[in-house]
């Protein structure tokens, strides 16, 4: 039975003092007093650039109200005094009273578990409130000690932000035999109590929720009647014995804010709003502008030079019709007659006009054409604008061409000189200055016999291997159950080399195949994508394990018979893989969780191959596959070496230079974007915090296979506010993140990524982030390095949460909706070679 009116008084430790929360406003001035060194002093290409000295922008801070409402319907909630807001709050002194402990003995069949029910009333005698704690616990016989937790709540539930407190026990069941009498009792080592108060941040101050923690400890003992003579499943009353009182020192666990090492906020200025084309363009010419910033002299140019010995004469003239290849806009340009403007007395400066009857030009194209008579060199400039068809953004473009028109002059034609239709290659000047390299032709297109052989396509499959592998781990010498009962899904891998006899091109791929893709007989992509406008040999394969059938679908090109009229082919084939089988293996090894007995590892593999399986190895072998042509298309002359881009295809350069860039911060952990694992009953002085998110860069997200910068992660004591180790000016880079060394082996998931660098002040939710990437799809030999920076406040909502057990309580901060979109400042520069990329 409980001890009735007898109570135990425990003086609690209150971690933190009330002035931290109540007095934060008075500390604001001191908090913003920082050293000049708080602003990063780095070059723009070596990380985050210095930010302008501006005052912090108005920030929106969210809050999470944690309410554990356990009261019956209609019962008013009780407000528990809170050190965050109550000036008269005092370090608690707890009284544990009205102990009630009952026990139900189990039996051999387990019908009645060996269960203890513990309840106690807890009162804070100084702050005048009480809570009721109750819970059921199954206790093992013979130890070891186990932590048990009983939750507590006021009689009417919680009204404020207080987190539900718990009483903890370290306890196990012991059996003593004295003579012929057997006594069962609970061996107890410690009784603990912990309670949290969650502070709501003041407006424009802290987004990280300050927490006060009260902890009290005591020894206690519970004894129950002997099992002898009792009926299994019967409810029995026990006694709880605790010391009469226990005093504890009052010590704050948090240090005061380290004001000299605060991170001075310098939020990125709001970007200028994007301006779209008005009216919006019917066709977005962005991709074409990067691929073809060229001039087309249509129908040839007509040039009448001055007679010999004269610089200019009334009879001299030059006229032509010119078109912008990217936009299709055409102008008629001329010099002579009423227009004889000269540049430096030697250059004809042509006047350009829209063609009669032409529709309105939404791109605003303009031409500046000059012709030097002394050398017959042309200097052409064109300006235009491209934007999306929704009218949300636009970019100005400029192209330059400096060339010598291929005039041919006929003496009997009055000295008139002419050109045929001519394409002058332009060099893009805006938004970036570069020459797009010619697109390489698809491999094998000019191979002799390509067109003829393609009429009856054949492929050679080399080293095909498919494996469906299941694994199981058991304790040593424990037989494995039937494979159908093994937990988890199998791992599927497919690898092969495929040679097309028409163009002699071989593609190789090794794929991990998802079970759902295998079941749905999904076509699997087996060709690379560099983001260039090149026509690839697109290869897709499909494999069905029950029938061992391999299907092939491939596109290829031929121009061996008529280069001015290349051909596109699409063909497919089907064949049955020759050899299939099953292999089951067992291996004994150690496993830490099951020492000292060790483990057995079982594996079961279903495989198919073009070669035989010999001692775990597949003998390489070839297999011929015949197929049919399913489609043939005659293509334009420029289709293979100078194709028009497909806007649906991803281009790193186009999406980085020609379109607005947004970053999306996405949570990648259930604990949110930031959490502190420090609210333990045992140790709260050395907390660590985890910052974790994925960075989605809009310039990379259309990349086939995805373009996410994963795991912008940092795990450190220096991230935790208010502690002695807190250092918000600390810098973290990708090599510090756990995923870098463990999850991904120190490699980025794709080539364009060059890493990140960050600093984070969790107290304010203030983040400084630097992210580098590069593009080389327009010129593989000269990459463009992009440097994106953003600084500002994460709109975090923070609260307390249980992670794995009642005594493990973390501070967790979430982004509303799990994501946040920002607009970074992006700068770029050309590199002379791939070797200059930062690594």
């Amino acid at each position: 039975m409980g001890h009735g009116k007898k109570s135990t008084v425990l003086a609690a430790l209150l971690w933190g003092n009330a002035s931290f929360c109540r007095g934060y406003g008075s500390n604001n001035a001191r908090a913003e007093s920082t050293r000049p060194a708080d602003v990063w002093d780095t070059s723009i290409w070596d990380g985050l650039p210095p930010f302008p000295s501006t005052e912090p922008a108005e920030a929106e801070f969210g809050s999470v109200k944690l309410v554990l409402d356990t009261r019956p319907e209609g019962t008013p909630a009780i407000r528990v005094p809170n050190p965050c807001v109550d000036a008269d709050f005092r370090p608690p002194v707890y009284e544990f009273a009205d102990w009630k402990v009952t026990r139900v003995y189990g039996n051999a069949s387990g019908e009645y578990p060996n269960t203890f029910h513990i309840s106690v009333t807890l009162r804070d005698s100084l702050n005048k409130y009480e809570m009721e704690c109750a819970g059921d616990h199954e206790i093992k016989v013979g130890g070891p000690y186990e932590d048990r937790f009983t939750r507590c709540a006021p009689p009417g539930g919680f009204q404020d932000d207080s987190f539900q407190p718990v009483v903890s026990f370290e306890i196990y069941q012991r059996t003593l035999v004295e003579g012929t009498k057997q006594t069962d009792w609970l061996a107890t080592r410690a009784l603990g109590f912990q309670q949290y108060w969650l502070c709501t941040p003041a407006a424009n101050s802290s987004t990280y929720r300050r927490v006060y923690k009260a902890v009290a400890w005591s020894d206690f003992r519970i004894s129950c009647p002997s099992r002898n003579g009792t009926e299994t499943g019967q409810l029995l009353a026990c006694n709880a014995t605790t010391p009469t009182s226990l005093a504890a020192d009052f010590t704050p666990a948090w240090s005061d804010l380290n004001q000299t090492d605060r991170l001075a906020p310098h939020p990125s200025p709001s970007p200028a709003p994007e301006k779209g084309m008005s009216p919006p363009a019917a066709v977005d010419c962005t991709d074409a502008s990067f691929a073809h910033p060229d001039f087309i002299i249509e129908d040839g140019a007509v040039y009448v030079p001055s007679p010999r010995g004269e610089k200019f004469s009334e009879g001299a003239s030059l006229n032509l019709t010119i078109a912008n290849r990217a936009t299709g806009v055409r102008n008629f340009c001329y010099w002579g007659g009423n227009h004889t403007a000269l540049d430096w007395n030697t250059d004809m400066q042509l006047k350009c006009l829209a063609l009669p009857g032409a529709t309105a030009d939404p791109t605003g194209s303009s031409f500046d054409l000059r012709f030097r008579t002394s050398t017959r060199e042309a200097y052409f400039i064109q300006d235009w604008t491209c934007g999306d068809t929704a009218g949300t953004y636009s970019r100005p473009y400029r192209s330059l061409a400096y060339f010598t028109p291929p005039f041919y002059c006929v003496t009997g034609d009055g000295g008139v000189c002419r050109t045929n239709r001519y394409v002058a290659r332009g060099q893009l000047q805006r938004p970036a200055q570069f020459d797009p390299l010619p697109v390489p032709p698809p491999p094998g297109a000019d191979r002799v016999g390509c067109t003829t052989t393609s009429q009856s396509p054949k492929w050679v499959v080399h080293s095909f291997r498919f494996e469906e592998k299941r694994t199981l781990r058991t304790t040593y010498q424990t037989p494995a159950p039937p494979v159908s009962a093994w937990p988890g899904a199998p791992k599927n891998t497919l690898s092969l080399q495929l040679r097309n006899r028409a163009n002699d091109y071989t593609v190789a791929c090794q794929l991990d195949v998802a079970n759902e893709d295998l079941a749905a007989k999904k076509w699997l992509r087996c060709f690379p994508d560099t983001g260039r406008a090149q026509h690839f040999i697109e290869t897709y394969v499909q494999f069905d394990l029950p029938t061992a059938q391999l299907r092939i679908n491939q596109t290829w090109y031929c121009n061996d018979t008529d280069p001015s009229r290349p051909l596109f082919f699409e063909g497919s084939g089907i064949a049955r893989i020759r050899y299939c089988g099953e292999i089951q293996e067992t291996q004994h090894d150690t496993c830490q969780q099951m020492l000292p007995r060790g483990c057995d590892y079982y594996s079961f593999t279903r495989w198919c191959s073009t070669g035989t399986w010999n001692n775990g190895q597949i003998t390489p072998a070839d297999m011929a596959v015949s197929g049919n042509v399913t489609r043939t298309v005659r293509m334009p002359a420029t289709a293979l070496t100078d194709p028009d881009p497909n806007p649906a295809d991803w281009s790193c350069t186009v999406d980085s230079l020609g379109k607005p860039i947004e970053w999306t911060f996405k949570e990648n952990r259930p604990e949110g974007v930031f959490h502190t694992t420090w609210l333990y009953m045992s140790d709260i002085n050395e907390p660590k915090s985890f910052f974790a998110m994925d960075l989605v860069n809009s310039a990379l997200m259309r990349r086939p296979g995805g373009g996410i910068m994963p795991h912008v992660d940092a795990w450190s004591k220096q991230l935790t506010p208010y502690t002695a180790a807190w250092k918000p000016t600390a810098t973290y880079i990708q090599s510090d993140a756990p995923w870098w060394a463990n999850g991904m082996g120190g490699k980025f998931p794709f080539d364009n990524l060059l890493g990140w660098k960050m600093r984070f002040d969790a107290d304010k939710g203030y983040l400084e982030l630097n992210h580098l990437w590069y593009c080389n799809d327009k010129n593989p030999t000269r990459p463009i390095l992009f440097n994106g920076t953003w600084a500002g406040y994460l709109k975090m909502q923070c609260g307390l949460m249980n992670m794995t057990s009642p005594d493990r309580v973390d501070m967790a901060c979430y982004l509303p909706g799990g994501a946040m979109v920002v607009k970074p400042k992006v700068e770029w520069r050309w590199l002379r070679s791939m070797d200059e990329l930062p690594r």
Side-chain angles (χ1 to χ4, degrees):
M1 294 292 294
H3 291 288
K5 300 297 183 180
K6 185 177 179 180
S7 64
T8 301
V9 180
L10 301 179
L13 300 177
L14 177 62
W15 300 112
N17 58 56
S19 65
F20 279 5
C21 281
R22 295 193 304 273
Y24 186 79
S26 63
N27 289 335
N28 268 350
R30 194 155 58 96
E32 299 304 327
S33 175
T34 57
R35 300 173 299 178
D38 288 345
V39 180
W40 287 8
D41 185 17
T42 57
S43 66
I44 196 161
W45 298 113
D46 191 32
L48 200 66
F51 292 102
S53 297
T54 57
E55 292 300 317
E58 192 85 1
E60 297 179 12
F61 297 101
S63 64
V64 174
K65 188 174 183 64
L66 298 180
V67 177
L68 295 169
D69 194 348
T70 58
R71 66 187 187 277
E73 185 177 355
T75 304
I78 295 175
R79 182 187 182 279
V80 175
N82 195 324
C84 300
V85 294
D86 296 337
D88 58 349
F89 188 90
R90 300 170 63 185
V93 174
Y94 295 113
E95 298 177 356
F96 290 92
D98 299 329
W99 280 96
K100 294 181 178 63
V101 183
T102 58
R103 172 176 184 172
V104 177
Y105 283 101
N107 60 7
S109 67
E111 179 181 355
Y112 298 100
N114 195 15
T115 304
F116 292 83
H117 177 82
I118 299 175
S119 66
V120 63
T121 299
L122 184 145
R123 301 185 182 98
D124 181 352
S125 61
L126 293 186
N127 296 295
K128 308 302 181 185
Y129 64 92
E130 68 177 36
M131 288 174 283
E132 297 171 352
C133 311
D136 292 323
H137 309 287
E138 293 184 10
I139 307 297
K140 294 181 179 179
V141 177
Y145 282 104
E146 296 183 21
D147 290 330
R148 300 295 179 179
F149 305 94
T150 299
R151 295 193 175 277
C152 307
F158 289 103
Q159 185 189 55
D160 60 7
D161 281 338
S162 294
F163 188 79
Q164 183 174 9
V166 295
V167 175
S168 99
F169 311 88
E170 287 190 334
I171 191 170
Y172 77 94
Q173 178 184 341
R174 295 185 64 181
T175 301
L176 297 181
V177 178
E178 300 176 1
T180 58
K181 182 181 180 182
Q182 176 177 305
T183 301
D184 292 330
W185 61 290
L186 292 182
T188 56
R189 185 163 59 186
L191 166 67
F193 175 77
Q194 60 183 356
Q195 184 175 7
Y196 303 91
W197 289 266
L198 184 64
C199 301
T200 301
N204 301 326
S205 59
S206 172
T207 188
Y208 188 81
R209 310 292 294 278
R210 300 197 182 191
V211 178
Y212 289 83
K213 179 175 182 178
V215 179
W217 293 94
S218 173
D219 294 327
F220 83 122
R221 177 172 176 170
I222 299 175
S223 61
C224 297
S226 169
R227 182 172 180 175
N228 294 343
T230 63
E231 180 183 353
T232 298
Q234 180 180 344
L235 185 68
L236 303 173
C238 306
N239 291 325
T241 304
T242 59
T244 57
S245 64
L246 178 67
D249 295 331
F250 171 71
T251 306
W254 287 344
S255 63
D256 198 1
L257 298 180
N258 185 359
Q259 303 295 344
T260 60
D261 204 25
R262 293 301 299 272
L263 183 59
H266 297 287
S268 302
S270 299
E274 292 284 345
K275 294 183 178 180
M277 298 174 63
S278 182
V283 177
D284 188 349
C285 57
T286 300
D287 288 85
S289 298
F290 281 92
H292 302 307
D294 305 328
F295 302 78
I296 301 176
I297 301 177
E298 296 185 346
D299 304 324
V302 178
Y303 170 50
V304 178
S306 299
R308 291 183 179 275
E310 298 182 18
K311 287 186 177 181
F312 293 102
S313 66
E314 292 184 0
S317 65
L318 174 63
N319 62 78
L320 54 90
T321 298
I322 193 165
N324 180 329
R325 184 176 177 185
T327 65
V329 173
R330 304 164 68 227
N331 270 202
F332 178 74
C333 304
Y334 66 95
W335 186 93
N338 295 328
H339 176 71
T340 56
L342 301 177
D343 184 24
W344 297 104
N345 295 323
T346 58
D347 293 352
M348 295 179 174
Q349 186 172 356
L350 280 68
K351 183 175 183 179
C352 297
L353 303 171
L355 295 179
T359 58
D361 173 21
T363 69
S365 297
S366 65
F367 296 90
D368 181 2
L369 309 185
R370 307 184 186 194
F371 180 71
R372 179 158 296 175
T373 59
S374 59
T375 60
R376 294 192 175 181
E377 293 173 313
Y379 180 82
F380 287 6
I381 296 176
Q382 55 182 339
D383 291 277
W384 69 99
T385 300
C386 291
D388 64 328
T389 56
T392 60
Y393 71 86
S394 62
R395 295 287 184 272
Y397 293 85
R398 168 171 286 185
S399 177
L400 164 68
Y402 189 75
F403 65 103
T404 301
F407 285 114
Y408 60 92
C409 304
V410 180
T411 304
D413 194 18
V416 175
C417 300
R418 305 176 186 273
T419 68
N420 295 321
R421 184 180 185 275
Y422 183 76
V423 177
R425 296 294 181 185
Q427 181 189 66
L428 203 63
Q429 304 292 302
R430 185 190 298 149
Q433 182 177 351
F434 70 96
D435 287 318
L437 284 186
V439 175
D446 57 354
R447 183 174 184 267
V448 176
C450 178
T451 301
T452 301
T453 308
S454 296
Q455 308 305 318
S456 299
K458 291 181 174 61
W459 295 270
V460 176
V461 178
H462 179 71
S463 297
F464 175 91
R465 183 175 76 251
F466 176 86
E467 291 185 11
E468 179 198 74
K469 188 172 185 178
R470 293 179 177 270
T471 58
L472 177 71
R473 186 186 71 181
T474 67
T475 54
Y476 181 54
Q477 294 183 342
T478 300
V483 176
S484 59
W486 290 12
K491 180 180 180 181
N492 308 300
T493 57
L494 184 150
S495 62
L496 82 160
Q497 297 178 26
L498 183 69
R499 180 172 64 89
N500 187 321
R501 288 185 174 180
N503 56 15
D504 202 35
Y505 174 73
T506 299
V507 61
C509 61
Q510 184 165 343
L511 307 170
D512 293 328
V513 187
N515 287 283
E516 55 270 23
D517 293 342
L518 192 67
K521 299 182 181 180
K522 181 179 178 181
W523 286 98
L524 306 174
R525 178 184 173 121
C526 187
F527 63 97
D529 192 341
T530 63
R532 307 196 71 195
Q534 179 182 6
H535 283 293
F536 293 104
I537 307 297
E538 296 189 5
T539 305
Y540 291 89
V541 296
Q542 181 191 92
F543 183 67
D544 180 49
L545 180 58
T547 61
Q549 282 190 338
L550 172 68
R551 295 177 181 270
I552 300 166
N553 185 273
Q554 191 175 67
T555 63
W556 67 98
Y557 306 86
C558 296
N559 66 348
D560 56 313
T561 57
D562 186 357
S564 66
R565 301 182 65 196
L567 283 167
F568 162 88
F569 292 95
E570 180 177 4
S572 61
I574 183 172
R576 187 177 184 278
I577 301 301
R578 294 192 187 102
Y579 305 102
C580 292
E582 298 177 351
I583 296 177
Q584 183 162 330
E585 299 173 304
T586 305
Q587 179 182 357
H588 174 67
D589 202 348
T590 59
C591 54
Q592 186 174 359
Q593 295 89 340
M594 299 182 181
L595 287 176
R597 297 184 62 191
C599 299
D600 284 333
Y601 291 88
Y602 295 90
S603 65
F604 177 79
T605 304
R606 294 200 297 171
W607 61 274
C608 290
S609 172
T610 51
T612 57
W613 185 287
N614 184 17
N615 293 326
Q617 301 293 324
I618 295 178
T619 304
D622 293 346
M623 182 181 73
V625 179
S626 298
N628 300 300
V629 174
T630 57
R631 188 161 55 115
T632 304
V633 178
R634 182 71 69 177
M635 305 180 71
T638 61
L640 299 188
T641 57
D642 195 18
D644 291 327
N646 181 3
D649 295 335
W650 173 68
S651 166
C652 180
T653 301
V654 172
D655 286 11
S656 297
L657 286 175
K659 300 176 182 179
I661 293 180
E662 292 182 342
W663 288 351
T664 302
F665 303 151
K666 296 184 66 175
E667 295 172 357
N668 59 22
R669 295 170 59 88
E671 299 89 344
V673 69
F674 185 82
H675 80 277
T676 302
T677 56
W678 58 290
L679 301 176
Y680 297 93
M681 289 195 72
S682 57
D683 182 10
I684 63 172
N685 293 315
E686 293 295 329
K688 283 188 175 182
S689 291
F690 207 142
F691 181 95
M693 69 180 187
D694 291 338
L695 171 60
V696 183
N697 186 341
S698 64
L700 306 175
M701 68 180 184
R702 292 201 306 130
R703 172 187 172 273
I708 294 178
M709 171 81 249
H711 297 289
V712 180
D713 295 350
W715 172 241
S716 174
K717 298 176 183 178
Q718 297 181 120
L719 283 166
T720 307
Y722 321 132
T723 61
W726 184 32
K727 188 178 181 182
T729 56
T731 301
Y732 307 91
I733 60 177
Q734 74 280 341
S735 58
D736 298 329
W739 72 271
W740 183 257
N742 301 323
M744 303 192 68
K747 296 181 180 180
F748 292 113
F750 56 95
D751 290 340
N752 302 87
L753 298 177
L754 293 176
W756 52 265
K757 180 188 292 187
M758 62 161 277
R759 297 193 301 187
F760 185 61
D761 182 349
D763 177 52
K764 292 183 175 294
Y766 173 71
L767 173 69
E768 293 179 347
L769 180 61
N770 172 221
H771 168 42
L772 299 177
W773 72 97
Y774 77 92
C775 301
N776 67 337
D777 53 295
K778 295 298 183 183
N779 190 334
T781 63
R782 292 200 62 194
I784 308 175
L785 178 64
F786 292 89
N787 181 47
T789 58
W790 183 82
Y793 297 96
L794 299 183
K795 298 178 180 179
M796 299 191 305
Q797 296 178 330
C798 300
L800 297 176
M801 65 181 298
N802 284 103
M803 293 301 302
T804 56
S805 65
D807 77 325
R808 178 177 176 179
V809 182
D810 290 4
M811 174 75 79
C813 300
Y814 297 86
L815 299 174
M820 177 177 172
V821 179
V822 302
K823 294 183 181 296
K825 176 184 178 182
V826 179
E827 299 178 277
W828 62 271
R829 65 166 176 164
W830 281 98
L831 301 181
R832 288 174 293 184
S833 69
M834 293 289 289
D835 294 335
E836 291 187 358
L837 287 173
R839 298 293 184 183

